[in-house]
Amino acid sequence: MGSNEKTAQGTSDRGRRHFFRRGHDVTSAESSVERAVPPGMRIAGAWSWRLLVIGAVLAVFVYLIIQLRLIVIPVFVAVLVAALLVPLVEMLRRHRWPRWLAITVSMLVMLVVVAGLLYLAIFQIRSEYGHLKEQSMTAYDDFRSWLTTGPLGLSQGQIEQYLADLGKALQQDSQVLISGALSIGSTLGHVLAGLLIALFATLFILIDGRAIWMWIVRIFPRRARAAIDGAGQAGWNTLRSFVKVQILVASIDAIGIGLGAFFLQLPLVIPIAVLVFLGSFIPVVGAVLTGALAVFIALIYNGWVAALIMLGVVLLVQQIEGHILQPLIMGSAVKVHPLAVVLVVAAGSMLAGIPGALFAVPLAAVLNVMVSYISSGEWRAHPVGAYDARNPQLWQTVPRPGRMPHK
């Protein structure tokens, strides 16, 4: 071997030794830095970036739901209504009714009940319109008299001046009122479109809900399908229990407050009961607000004594709901602590208003059951292959490879 080759080989050996020594020094420096960081800090750092990623994904998901609320809200309503109607459809099916007839009858029963409640409320408002107008004028005159003879001690001139200022402010803000009226018209259009979407979604969930769910399950990886399917079925059973129990709780609230208004001879008894029934679907908050409306009507039309009695009736009904119905019936159905109910209702109302408060508790209950099911590991006993060979029917609009449709 020549001197040049020996010199080159020596240089290469020294370069390799220098490279590995530098790598060893870098590795040693990194290991020393890791040793300098306490283990608790390393674990906290690992948890922190993972939690940040999960929080970012959840934030994007919530943002998309809020942006698509005109579609998401009707679909959520359809899921709740379908959870209520499925037992009726199954009962009719057990009595050998055809599937299409059982679904049609169930939908018609729901529409008739809702339309009947609205008709009763509107009919009573129309029948008592004259009496309501007279009582409203009397209450207005009594209120003006109280402003002058009460602790405020206002004069008639001051009251007239305040009313004139209010009328002038309304005239100056007429453009705002016009834009508000246009906004109300747009909102009514959105409500009508949402009702149609909810009806169609309910119909298709009742017709082909299982196929829709299996299509969703097949989106996930094969190893996760058993867990997703089992968690979804557990969440669906919880949602069905929630809807049935919530119907019972809302009926008890409406009957209790409605009977109180009836015995006090208040006007609009049926509209008050209907509002209480609908408001009770927002746990804790809804019945309180609608009960406050009943107290206000009693104050306006029957005076302080009737208002205090009505307030006592509302508080009694709320105590029965909070200490008997919620812990015993609702707690066993949805397995959510009352404190968690209050917190999720508050969070839902802050994020999405009334729809957020309405869907907060069932969503929290379903997520709680689904997470508990997945963490329990019960799904491991389910065969994975059961989710692969099913035909998704109307949800598979793209033909499989090698199975093109005939022309």
Side-chain angles (χ1 to χ4, degrees), residues 52 75 126 144 220 267:
L52 287 175
V75 172
R126 290 185 59 185
R144 291 193 59 169
F220 293 86

Side-chain angles (χ1 to χ4, degrees), residues 45-59:
W47 272 101
S48 297
W49 72 263
R50 288 174 173 83
L51 290 176
L52 287 175
V53 171
I54 294 174
V57 172
L58 291 177

Side-chain angles (χ1 to χ4, degrees), residues 245-255 273 276-281:
V245 170
Q246 192 59 50
I247 289 288
L248 175 62
V249 172
S251 301
I252 294 175
D253 289 345
I255 292 173
V276 171
F277 177 79
L278 297 176
S280 297
F281 282 91

Side-chain angles (χ1 to χ4, degrees), residues 149-170:
T149 61
L152 295 178
L154 299 178
S155 63
Q156 292 292 336
Q158 290 175 321
I159 296 175
E160 296 295 336
Q161 182 64 38
Y162 291 147
L163 292 176
D165 293 340
L166 179 61
K168 187 181 298 184
L170 292 177

Side-chain angles (χ1 to χ4, degrees), residues 257 260-261 264 266-267 272 276 287-316 318:
I257 296 178
L264 289 174
L266 297 182
I272 289 174
V276 171
V288 173
L289 294 179
T290 52
L293 176 63
V295 174
F296 178 75
I297 292 176
L299 175 64
I300 293 298
Y301 293 102
N302 287 13
W304 288 98
V305 176
L308 291 176
I309 297 175
M310 192 69 238
L311 178 61
V313 172
V314 172
L315 293 178
L316 177 62
Q318 293 304 308

Side-chain angles (χ1 to χ4, degrees), residues 76-91 106-107 109-111 113-114 202 205-206 236 239-248 277 281:
F76 280 2
V77 171
V79 172
L80 290 177
V81 174
L84 176 64
L85 295 181
V86 162
L88 179 58
V89 174
E90 292 177 349
M91 182 193 70
S106 300
M107 294 284 291
V109 167
M110 178 197 67
L111 294 176
V113 170
V114 174
T202 303
I205 290 174
L206 294 176
W236 176 251
L239 184 62
R240 290 175 58 177
S241 300
F242 168 81
V243 173
K244 290 187 291 187
V245 170
Q246 192 59 50
I247 289 288
L248 175 62
F277 177 79
F281 282 91

Side-chain angles (χ1 to χ4, degrees), residues 223 226-228 230 373-384 387:
R223 296 181 60 183
I228 296 299
Y373 178 86
I374 294 175
S375 62
S376 67
E378 298 179 14
W379 51 272
R380 291 188 176 91
H382 201 289
V384 178
Y387 305 95

